[in-house]
Amino acid sequence: MPDDPFAELKAVQREAWALFAPLEAISTMPAAELIRHARVRPKQSVLDVGCGTGVIAVTAARLGARTCGLDLAPALLERAKKNAALADVEIEFREGDVEAMPYDNASFDVVLSQFGHMFAPRPEVAIAEMLRVLKPGGTIAFSTWPPEHFVGQMAALVGKYQPPPAGVAPPLQWGDPSIVRQRLGETVTGIVFDRGVICFPALSPQHYRSGAEETFVPVVKLVQTLQSDATRLATFRADLDSCIGRHLENNMVRQHYLMTRAIKR
Ligand SMILES: C[S@@+](CC[C@H](N)C(=O)[O-])C[C@H]1O[C@@H](n2cnc3c(N)ncnc32)[C@H](O)[C@@H]1O
């Protein structure tokens, strides 16, 4: 978008999200849950928004859906193409921004996003786009992180050290059902929520944190920023370890998430 006030931020994110690739091992299991929640059927046309390495897209395509995937990060799309080839399914992957998608109105029976569209800076623009490309009677469904659970608490901690840029809505708002209802508005009917949990293996809080410092973009960026302030970096790491420690049990960090489904009128 030529007049996008967040073009610079997105240019940074386009490169930064490349680090997410190893986390596909963790996002593979909830992908099956979101496909079930969205009731995807063979032959439907399905769009996976913020598709990353394509875990949702490949799962839908393996069910027989005609599937497209869109993401900001070219490096993740390369990996998504390899995943589709490995699974022997055809998927059309495109580089693009959920806030300005390269698809015609009413192109898809189902529009999905797993922890993807929630990172767009302008939720009202992102949701309007997702509903625009969805056919009337089609299904929109997405998974998001609720503020009250572990990922939400971790993100709030990151936000304490590095507040989001002015005008950027906190991604965790997408984990609050009342805000989700408000954002979907009158364009949809039949909103249904469900919840799931990802069990993330970790030997210690430090193991989890060290992984997050390499793969989870908000943490990666904060640690980069704090490199010039060793004391503050150490305090952040201690705070994060204690947050992780409160959720680590039996070598697993339980990451609860929210699933939403609705029908476009
Ligand atoms: C947490 S990852 C989730 C990836 C994938 N859906 C999964 O579950 O494995 C977030 C994804 O959203 C993408 N993303 C962030 N902002 C975006 C935007 N404005 N438009 C399109 N994709 C975006 C990132 O590039 C990244 O692939």
Side-chain angles (χ1 to χ4, degrees):
M1 260 203 283
D3 54 353
D4 184 346
F6 295 106
E8 222 170 285
L9 174 77
K10 287 173 188 171
V12 173
Q13 288 185 338
R14 183 178 176 274
E15 304 307 321
W17 275 110
L19 297 171
F20 179 83
L23 288 180
E24 72 177 6
I26 301 299
S27 64
T28 289
M29 282 175 286
E33 289 300 304
L34 182 61
I35 293 289
R36 178 195 56 74
H37 184 67
R39 304 185 291 197
V40 173
R41 297 189 305 277
K43 298 203 167 42
Q44 284 186 311
S45 52
V46 173
L47 173 64
D48 176 9
V49 174
C51 64
T53 63
V55 294
I56 290 284
V58 169
T59 308
R62 290 193 66 241
L63 270 182
R66 289 179 286 116
T67 308
C68 296
L70 176 112
D71 201 278
L72 210 50
L76 296 183
L77 290 167
E78 281 314 305
R79 182 146 174 151
K81 286 175 193 164
K82 286 185 185 147
N83 280 334
L86 201 56
D88 197 18
V89 287
E90 290 219 356
I91 299 172
E92 188 194 301
F93 288 107
R94 285 174 84 158
E95 186 181 327
D97 176 6
V98 59
E99 293 189 353
M101 291 200 277
Y103 305 108
D104 291 338
N105 294 351
S107 295
F108 297 98
D109 298 312
V110 184
V111 173
L112 303 172
S113 186
Q114 175 169 269
F115 314 127
H117 79 292
M118 63 181 292
F119 291 102
R122 295 174 296 182
E124 69 291 353
V125 179
I127 198 70
E129 272 296 89
M130 290 167 77
L131 290 169
R132 176 184 69 75
V133 302
L134 183 62
K135 293 177 186 171
T139 301
I140 182 168
F142 42 81
S143 297
T144 49
W145 298 115
E148 69 274 20
H149 290 297
F150 168 66
V151 176
Q153 290 173 11
M154 177 167 63
L157 181 65
V158 170
K160 215 172 84 184
Y161 283 80
Q162 188 169 53
V168 174
L172 293 178
Q173 290 179 342
W174 278 112
D176 177 340
S178 65
I179 294 180
V180 170
R181 274 185 193 285
Q182 203 185 333
R183 287 179 178 168
L184 285 167
E186 291 304 308
T187 315
V188 306
T189 179
I191 299 180
V192 176
F193 295 107
D194 198 357
R195 291 185 183 262
V197 60
I198 298 172
C199 294
F200 196 119
L203 279 176
S204 69
Q206 293 84 346
H207 279 77
Y208 186 100
R209 170 171 52 77
S210 129
E213 288 186 12
E214 285 170 12
T215 57
F216 188 52
V217 172
V219 175
V220 175
K221 290 276 157 209
L222 173 58
V223 169
Q224 279 170 3
T225 308
L226 293 181
Q227 286 304 332
S228 55
D229 186 344
T231 310
R232 206 162 143 76
L233 177 57
T235 312
F236 166 68
R237 284 178 164 154
D239 282 351
L240 183 51
D241 287 352
S242 95
C243 173
I244 297 163
R246 289 196 295 278
H247 297 270
L248 178 64
E249 205 184 338
N250 298 326
N251 283 0
M252 273 181 308
V253 177
R254 292 171 74 80
Q255 301 188 168
H256 295 266
Y257 60 93
L258 177 73
M259 285 181 285
T260 301
R261 176 181 81 222
I263 307 298
K264 182 174 171 183
R265 289 181 199 274

